[in-house]
mmCIF file with all atom_site columns, all heavy atoms in Angstrom:
data_model
loop_
_atom_site.group_PDB
_atom_site.id
_atom_site.type_symbol
_atom_site.label_atom_id
_atom_site.label_alt_id
_atom_site.label_comp_id
_atom_site.label_asym_id
_atom_site.label_entity_id
_atom_site.label_seq_id
_atom_site.pdbx_PDB_ins_code
_atom_site.Cartn_x
_atom_site.Cartn_y
_atom_site.Cartn_z
_atom_site.occupancy
_atom_site.B_iso_or_equiv
_atom_site.pdbx_formal_charge
_atom_site.auth_seq_id
_atom_site.auth_comp_id
_atom_site.auth_asym_id
_atom_site.auth_atom_id
_atom_site.pdbx_PDB_model_num
ATOM 1   N N   . LEU A 1 12  ? -59.575 97.718  -41.547 1.00 0.00 ? 12  LEU A N   1
ATOM 2   C CA  . LEU A 1 12  ? -60.496 97.344  -42.621 1.00 0.00 ? 12  LEU A CA  1
ATOM 3   C C   . LEU A 1 12  ? -60.182 98.069  -43.924 1.00 0.00 ? 12  LEU A C   1
ATOM 4   O O   . LEU A 1 12  ? -60.095 97.448  -44.980 1.00 0.00 ? 12  LEU A O   1
ATOM 5   C CB  . LEU A 1 12  ? -61.934 97.627  -42.193 1.00 0.00 ? 12  LEU A CB  1
ATOM 6   C CG  . LEU A 1 12  ? -63.017 97.271  -43.207 1.00 0.00 ? 12  LEU A CG  1
ATOM 7   C CD1 . LEU A 1 12  ? -63.048 95.772  -43.436 1.00 0.00 ? 12  LEU A CD1 1
ATOM 8   C CD2 . LEU A 1 12  ? -64.364 97.756  -42.718 1.00 0.00 ? 12  LEU A CD2 1
ATOM 9   N N   . PHE A 1 13  ? -59.992 99.377  -43.882 1.00 0.00 ? 13  PHE A N   1
ATOM 10  C CA  . PHE A 1 13  ? -59.872 100.150 -45.107 1.00 0.00 ? 13  PHE A CA  1
ATOM 11  C C   . PHE A 1 13  ? -58.447 100.365 -45.610 1.00 0.00 ? 13  PHE A C   1
ATOM 12  O O   . PHE A 1 13  ? -58.266 100.715 -46.772 1.00 0.00 ? 13  PHE A O   1
ATOM 13  C CB  . PHE A 1 13  ? -60.572 101.506 -44.946 1.00 0.00 ? 13  PHE A CB  1
ATOM 14  C CG  . PHE A 1 13  ? -62.054 101.355 -44.859 1.00 0.00 ? 13  PHE A CG  1
ATOM 15  C CD1 . PHE A 1 13  ? -62.711 101.502 -43.650 1.00 0.00 ? 13  PHE A CD1 1
ATOM 16  C CD2 . PHE A 1 13  ? -62.796 101.019 -45.976 1.00 0.00 ? 13  PHE A CD2 1
ATOM 17  C CE1 . PHE A 1 13  ? -64.083 101.349 -43.564 1.00 0.00 ? 13  PHE A CE1 1
ATOM 18  C CE2 . PHE A 1 13  ? -64.165 100.854 -45.900 1.00 0.00 ? 13  PHE A CE2 1
ATOM 19  C CZ  . PHE A 1 13  ? -64.815 101.023 -44.690 1.00 0.00 ? 13  PHE A CZ  1
ATOM 20  N N   . ASN A 1 102 ? -64.282 85.631  -53.713 1.00 0.00 ? 102 ASN A N   1
ATOM 21  C CA  . ASN A 1 102 ? -65.046 85.162  -52.550 1.00 0.00 ? 102 ASN A CA  1
ATOM 22  C C   . ASN A 1 102 ? -65.688 86.316  -51.769 1.00 0.00 ? 102 ASN A C   1
ATOM 23  O O   . ASN A 1 102 ? -66.701 86.106  -51.098 1.00 0.00 ? 102 ASN A O   1
ATOM 24  C CB  . ASN A 1 102 ? -64.171 84.312  -51.634 1.00 0.00 ? 102 ASN A CB  1
ATOM 25  C CG  . ASN A 1 102 ? -63.818 82.986  -52.262 1.00 0.00 ? 102 ASN A CG  1
ATOM 26  O OD1 . ASN A 1 102 ? -64.542 82.471  -53.118 1.00 0.00 ? 102 ASN A OD1 1
ATOM 27  N ND2 . ASN A 1 102 ? -62.696 82.425  -51.880 1.00 0.00 ? 102 ASN A ND2 1
ATOM 28  N N   . LEU A 1 103 ? -65.116 87.497  -51.867 1.00 0.00 ? 103 LEU A N   1
ATOM 29  C CA  . LEU A 1 103 ? -65.651 88.668  -51.165 1.00 0.00 ? 103 LEU A CA  1
ATOM 30  C C   . LEU A 1 103 ? -66.463 89.577  -52.089 1.00 0.00 ? 103 LEU A C   1
ATOM 31  O O   . LEU A 1 103 ? -66.768 90.712  -51.738 1.00 0.00 ? 103 LEU A O   1
ATOM 32  C CB  . LEU A 1 103 ? -64.500 89.471  -50.542 1.00 0.00 ? 103 LEU A CB  1
ATOM 33  C CG  . LEU A 1 103 ? -63.729 88.760  -49.433 1.00 0.00 ? 103 LEU A CG  1
ATOM 34  C CD1 . LEU A 1 103 ? -62.470 89.545  -49.075 1.00 0.00 ? 103 LEU A CD1 1
ATOM 35  C CD2 . LEU A 1 103 ? -64.608 88.562  -48.210 1.00 0.00 ? 103 LEU A CD2 1
ATOM 36  N N   . ARG A 1 104 ? -66.854 89.089  -53.262 1.00 0.00 ? 104 ARG A N   1
ATOM 37  C CA  . ARG A 1 104 ? -67.512 89.942  -54.252 1.00 0.00 ? 104 ARG A CA  1
ATOM 38  C C   . ARG A 1 104 ? -68.823 90.540  -53.764 1.00 0.00 ? 104 ARG A C   1
ATOM 39  O O   . ARG A 1 104 ? -69.175 91.652  -54.155 1.00 0.00 ? 104 ARG A O   1
ATOM 40  C CB  . ARG A 1 104 ? -67.690 89.197  -55.572 1.00 0.00 ? 104 ARG A CB  1
ATOM 41  C CG  . ARG A 1 104 ? -68.681 88.068  -55.561 1.00 0.00 ? 104 ARG A CG  1
ATOM 42  C CD  . ARG A 1 104 ? -68.609 87.270  -56.864 1.00 0.00 ? 104 ARG A CD  1
ATOM 43  N NE  . ARG A 1 104 ? -69.510 86.146  -56.874 1.00 0.00 ? 104 ARG A NE  1
ATOM 44  C CZ  . ARG A 1 104 ? -69.294 84.981  -56.278 1.00 0.00 ? 104 ARG A CZ  1
ATOM 45  N NH1 . ARG A 1 104 ? -68.163 84.784  -55.609 1.00 0.00 ? 104 ARG A NH1 1
ATOM 46  N NH2 . ARG A 1 104 ? -70.178 84.014  -56.335 1.00 0.00 ? 104 ARG A NH2 1
ATOM 47  N N   . ALA A 1 105 ? -69.561 89.844  -52.909 1.00 0.00 ? 105 ALA A N   1
ATOM 48  C CA  . ALA A 1 105 ? -70.813 90.414  -52.381 1.00 0.00 ? 105 ALA A CA  1
ATOM 49  C C   . ALA A 1 105 ? -70.510 91.652  -51.529 1.00 0.00 ? 105 ALA A C   1
ATOM 50  O O   . ALA A 1 105 ? -71.210 92.662  -51.616 1.00 0.00 ? 105 ALA A O   1
ATOM 51  C CB  . ALA A 1 105 ? -71.575 89.379  -51.570 1.00 0.00 ? 105 ALA A CB  1
ATOM 52  N N   . PHE A 1 106 ? -69.465 91.591  -50.724 1.00 0.00 ? 106 PHE A N   1
ATOM 53  C CA  . PHE A 1 106 ? -69.041 92.741  -49.921 1.00 0.00 ? 106 PHE A CA  1
ATOM 54  C C   . PHE A 1 106 ? -68.580 93.876  -50.828 1.00 0.00 ? 106 PHE A C   1
ATOM 55  O O   . PHE A 1 106 ? -68.960 95.027  -50.660 1.00 0.00 ? 106 PHE A O   1
ATOM 56  C CB  . PHE A 1 106 ? -67.922 92.337  -48.958 1.00 0.00 ? 106 PHE A CB  1
ATOM 57  C CG  . PHE A 1 106 ? -67.258 93.501  -48.284 1.00 0.00 ? 106 PHE A CG  1
ATOM 58  C CD1 . PHE A 1 106 ? -67.894 94.185  -47.263 1.00 0.00 ? 106 PHE A CD1 1
ATOM 59  C CD2 . PHE A 1 106 ? -65.998 93.920  -48.687 1.00 0.00 ? 106 PHE A CD2 1
ATOM 60  C CE1 . PHE A 1 106 ? -67.281 95.270  -46.642 1.00 0.00 ? 106 PHE A CE1 1
ATOM 61  C CE2 . PHE A 1 106 ? -65.377 94.996  -48.078 1.00 0.00 ? 106 PHE A CE2 1
ATOM 62  C CZ  . PHE A 1 106 ? -66.026 95.677  -47.054 1.00 0.00 ? 106 PHE A CZ  1
ATOM 63  N N   . PHE A 1 107 ? -67.749 93.540  -51.817 1.00 0.00 ? 107 PHE A N   1
ATOM 64  C CA  . PHE A 1 107 ? -67.227 94.557  -52.727 1.00 0.00 ? 107 PHE A CA  1
ATOM 65  C C   . PHE A 1 107 ? -68.333 95.183  -53.572 1.00 0.00 ? 107 PHE A C   1
ATOM 66  O O   . PHE A 1 107 ? -68.244 96.343  -53.953 1.00 0.00 ? 107 PHE A O   1
ATOM 67  C CB  . PHE A 1 107 ? -66.128 93.985  -53.623 1.00 0.00 ? 107 PHE A CB  1
ATOM 68  C CG  . PHE A 1 107 ? -64.843 93.706  -52.888 1.00 0.00 ? 107 PHE A CG  1
ATOM 69  C CD1 . PHE A 1 107 ? -64.203 92.489  -53.012 1.00 0.00 ? 107 PHE A CD1 1
ATOM 70  C CD2 . PHE A 1 107 ? -64.266 94.665  -52.073 1.00 0.00 ? 107 PHE A CD2 1
ATOM 71  C CE1 . PHE A 1 107 ? -63.013 92.233  -52.344 1.00 0.00 ? 107 PHE A CE1 1
ATOM 72  C CE2 . PHE A 1 107 ? -63.079 94.417  -51.397 1.00 0.00 ? 107 PHE A CE2 1
ATOM 73  C CZ  . PHE A 1 107 ? -62.453 93.198  -51.537 1.00 0.00 ? 107 PHE A CZ  1
ATOM 74  N N   . ALA A 1 108 ? -69.373 94.426  -53.885 1.00 0.00 ? 108 ALA A N   1
ATOM 75  C CA  . ALA A 1 108 ? -70.487 94.965  -54.680 1.00 0.00 ? 108 ALA A CA  1
ATOM 76  C C   . ALA A 1 108 ? -71.150 96.142  -53.965 1.00 0.00 ? 108 ALA A C   1
ATOM 77  O O   . ALA A 1 108 ? -71.584 97.098  -54.604 1.00 0.00 ? 108 ALA A O   1
ATOM 78  C CB  . ALA A 1 108 ? -71.506 93.864  -54.972 1.00 0.00 ? 108 ALA A CB  1
ATOM 79  N N   . VAL A 1 109 ? -71.213 96.077  -52.646 1.00 0.00 ? 109 VAL A N   1
ATOM 80  C CA  . VAL A 1 109 ? -71.772 97.192  -51.865 1.00 0.00 ? 109 VAL A CA  1
ATOM 81  C C   . VAL A 1 109 ? -70.933 98.452  -52.074 1.00 0.00 ? 109 VAL A C   1
ATOM 82  O O   . VAL A 1 109 ? -71.456 99.564  -52.112 1.00 0.00 ? 109 VAL A O   1
ATOM 83  C CB  . VAL A 1 109 ? -71.838 96.815  -50.362 1.00 0.00 ? 109 VAL A CB  1
ATOM 84  C CG1 . VAL A 1 109 ? -72.219 98.005  -49.509 1.00 0.00 ? 109 VAL A CG1 1
ATOM 85  C CG2 . VAL A 1 109 ? -72.789 95.657  -50.156 1.00 0.00 ? 109 VAL A CG2 1
ATOM 86  N N   . LEU A 1 110 ? -69.641 98.269  -52.258 1.00 0.00 ? 110 LEU A N   1
ATOM 87  C CA  . LEU A 1 110 ? -68.721 99.383  -52.493 1.00 0.00 ? 110 LEU A CA  1
ATOM 88  C C   . LEU A 1 110 ? -68.605 99.729  -53.975 1.00 0.00 ? 110 LEU A C   1
ATOM 89  O O   . LEU A 1 110 ? -67.795 100.570 -54.354 1.00 0.00 ? 110 LEU A O   1
ATOM 90  C CB  . LEU A 1 110 ? -67.331 99.039  -51.940 1.00 0.00 ? 110 LEU A CB  1
ATOM 91  C CG  . LEU A 1 110 ? -67.267 98.683  -50.456 1.00 0.00 ? 110 LEU A CG  1
ATOM 92  C CD1 . LEU A 1 110 ? -65.874 98.208  -50.084 1.00 0.00 ? 110 LEU A CD1 1
ATOM 93  C CD2 . LEU A 1 110 ? -67.693 99.857  -49.603 1.00 0.00 ? 110 LEU A CD2 1
ATOM 94  N N   . LYS A 1 111 ? -69.406 99.036  -54.809 1.00 0.00 ? 111 LYS A N   1
ATOM 95  C CA  . LYS A 1 111 ? -69.397 99.217  -56.271 1.00 0.00 ? 111 LYS A CA  1
ATOM 96  C C   . LYS A 1 111 ? -68.035 98.883  -56.874 1.00 0.00 ? 111 LYS A C   1
ATOM 97  O O   . LYS A 1 111 ? -67.520 99.594  -57.738 1.00 0.00 ? 111 LYS A O   1
ATOM 98  C CB  . LYS A 1 111 ? -69.842 100.618 -56.651 1.00 0.00 ? 111 LYS A CB  1
ATOM 99  C CG  . LYS A 1 111 ? -71.249 100.933 -56.190 1.00 0.00 ? 111 LYS A CG  1
ATOM 100 C CD  . LYS A 1 111 ? -71.776 102.191 -56.806 1.00 0.00 ? 111 LYS A CD  1
ATOM 101 C CE  . LYS A 1 111 ? -73.136 102.572 -56.289 1.00 0.00 ? 111 LYS A CE  1
ATOM 102 N NZ  . LYS A 1 111 ? -74.188 101.646 -56.445 1.00 0.00 ? 111 LYS A NZ  1
#
Side-chain angles (χ1 to χ4, degrees):
L12 181 65
F13 291 105
N102 291 334
L103 295 170
R104 69 189 178 281
F106 169 75
F107 288 131
V109 172
L110 303 173
K111 299 192 184 302

